[in-house]
């Protein structure tokens, strides 16, 4: 989850390409024919000033007619695997002119999230005169770390008491933020015996705070499941502790 809210802020991309007819050094290893680095990394107070530029370069190999590269932005913040920033602006291949021996491209991105750790994965391709791929290699850049602390949300307790109407219970769901950053617009969902019972959105859960959400739902017969941030809209330090599964709680 890269951005809070269901609609993620639009990333602004700018780039320039450079292709020069220079003699490429001889190399047999694929990695020796590529270069990838972070050209600049800004961690400012506004989205415009939270930006990074990644530069990639590749050299022609025997049989090359054109070269191409494609950038994928990833966020490596948190304990889980890197998260891909989904944006159509990065889906296209950047292509060189024909018969050049060196091709470079700089990809810049603005609007990075505080607390994010951003890098790019670049796929390099060498193509012959028929457009057939003769070599391909993928590399990952070093990171651009954005300032800011992240929250970490989890459901820490579920209790129940008899509801006002027959066949219902009032469930109390504790949502804890054990991270160092505040979480905004936090969605909480309750499922009873496999069926969606109710949902609620908490405006804010501060760092170190526990908020209790109350639901009125059908009486639990077997089990329940409580989920915080089920839509993966909030960037957290740990994405694997957002669900609590339990047997029906005793009526208090």
């Amino acid at each position: 989850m890269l951005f809070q809210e269901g609609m993620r802020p639009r990333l602004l991309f700018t780039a320039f390409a450079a292709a020069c007819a220079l003699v490429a050094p001889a190399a047999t290893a694929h990695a020796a024919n590529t270069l990838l680095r972070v050209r600049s990394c800004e961690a400012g107070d506004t989205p415009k000033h939270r930006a990074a530029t990644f530069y990639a370069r590749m050299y022609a190999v025997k049989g090359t007619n054109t070269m191409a590269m494609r950038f994928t932005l990833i966020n490596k913040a948190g304990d889980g695997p890197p998260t891909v920033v989904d944006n159509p602006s990065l889906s296209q291949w950047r292509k060189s002119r024909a018969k050049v021996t060196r091709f470079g491209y700089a990809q810049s991105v603005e609007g990075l999230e505080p607390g994010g750790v951003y890098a790019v994965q670049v796929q390099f391709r060498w193509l012959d005169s028929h457009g057939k791929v003769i070599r391909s290699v993928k590399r990952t850049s070093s990171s651009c770390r954005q300032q800011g602390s992240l929250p970490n949300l989890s459901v820490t307790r579920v209790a129940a008491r008899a509801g006002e109407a027959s066949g219902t219970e009032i469930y109390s769901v504790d949502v804890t933020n054990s991270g160092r950053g505040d979480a905004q617009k936090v969605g909480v969902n309750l499922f009873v015996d496999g069926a969606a019972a109710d949902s609620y959105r908490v405006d804010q859960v501060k760092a170190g705070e526990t908020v209790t959400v109350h639901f009125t739902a059908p009486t639990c017969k077997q089990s329940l499941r409580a989920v915080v941030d089920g839509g993966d809209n909030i960037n957290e330090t740990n994405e694997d502790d957002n669900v609590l599964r339990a047997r029906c709680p005793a009526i208090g």
Side-chain angles (χ1 to χ4, degrees):
M1 32 188 146
L2 264 291
F3 301 101
Q4 296 186 6
E5 308 266 6
M7 296 297 291
R8 297 173 177 173
R10 188 176 186 85
L11 295 177
L12 306 176
F13 295 95
T14 58
F16 67 87
C20 306
L22 301 177
V23 177
T28 55
H30 293 190
N33 295 318
T34 63
L35 177 148
L36 179 59
R37 64 170 181 250
V38 180
R39 175 171 281 180
S40 65
C41 178
E42 300 178 62
D45 296 329
T46 65
K48 182 178 180 180
H49 294 98
R50 291 193 294 271
T53 298
F54 303 91
Y55 179 73
R57 183 190 300 163
M58 57 193 303
Y59 296 91
V61 298
K62 184 177 180 180
T64 299
N65 182 63
T66 57
M67 292 171 280
M69 61 181 75
R70 183 167 62 185
F71 292 77
T72 299
L73 184 68
I74 59 175
N75 187 351
K76 300 192 291 184
D79 297 332
T83 305
V84 174
V85 180
D86 184 16
N87 191 290
S89 299
L90 291 184
S91 62
Q92 60 183 306
W93 286 90
R94 314 299 185 180
K95 298 180 180 180
S96 73
R97 299 192 302 269
K99 302 297 184 180
V100 299
T101 55
R102 188 180 76 174
F103 174 52
Y105 200 93
Q107 179 70 66
S108 298
V109 57
E110 298 176 353
L112 302 177
E113 283 286 285
V117 182
Y118 292 93
V120 291
Q121 290 180 339
V122 178
Q123 186 172 358
F124 298 89
R125 284 183 177 179
W126 292 261
L127 302 96
D128 64 16
S129 58
H130 301 288
K132 181 180 178 181
V133 177
I134 57 178
R135 281 191 184 179
S136 179
V137 66
K138 182 181 290 186
R139 292 185 60 184
T140 301
S141 73
S142 54
S143 301
C144 172
R145 183 179 296 272
Q146 295 295 305
Q147 296 172 344
S149 299
L150 296 177
N152 185 55
L153 299 167
S154 60
V155 178
T156 50
R157 186 185 71 99
V158 177
R161 58 187 173 90
E164 296 181 0
S166 176
T168 67
E169 294 179 12
I170 298 175
Y171 299 90
S172 299
V173 178
D174 287 354
V175 175
T176 298
N177 180 2
S178 59
R180 296 183 178 180
D182 298 344
Q184 312 292 333
K185 298 180 174 58
V186 179
V188 185
N189 296 82
L190 180 67
F191 299 82
V192 178
D193 296 326
D198 204 353
S199 62
Y200 187 79
R201 190 173 75 170
V202 182
D203 288 338
Q204 178 178 256
V205 183
K206 295 181 180 179
E209 182 181 29
T210 295
V211 173
T212 301
V213 180
H214 301 284
F215 297 99
T216 298
T219 299
C220 180
K221 300 183 184 304
Q222 295 181 340
S223 64
L224 55 77
R225 175 165 53 99
V227 182
V228 59
D229 190 34
D232 285 346
N233 297 317
I234 301 172
N235 193 21
E236 303 177 58
T237 58
N238 186 352
E239 308 290 357
D240 297 327
D241 59 353
N242 289 6
V243 180
L244 178 65
R245 294 177 174 85
R247 295 184 179 277
C248 299
I251 303 298

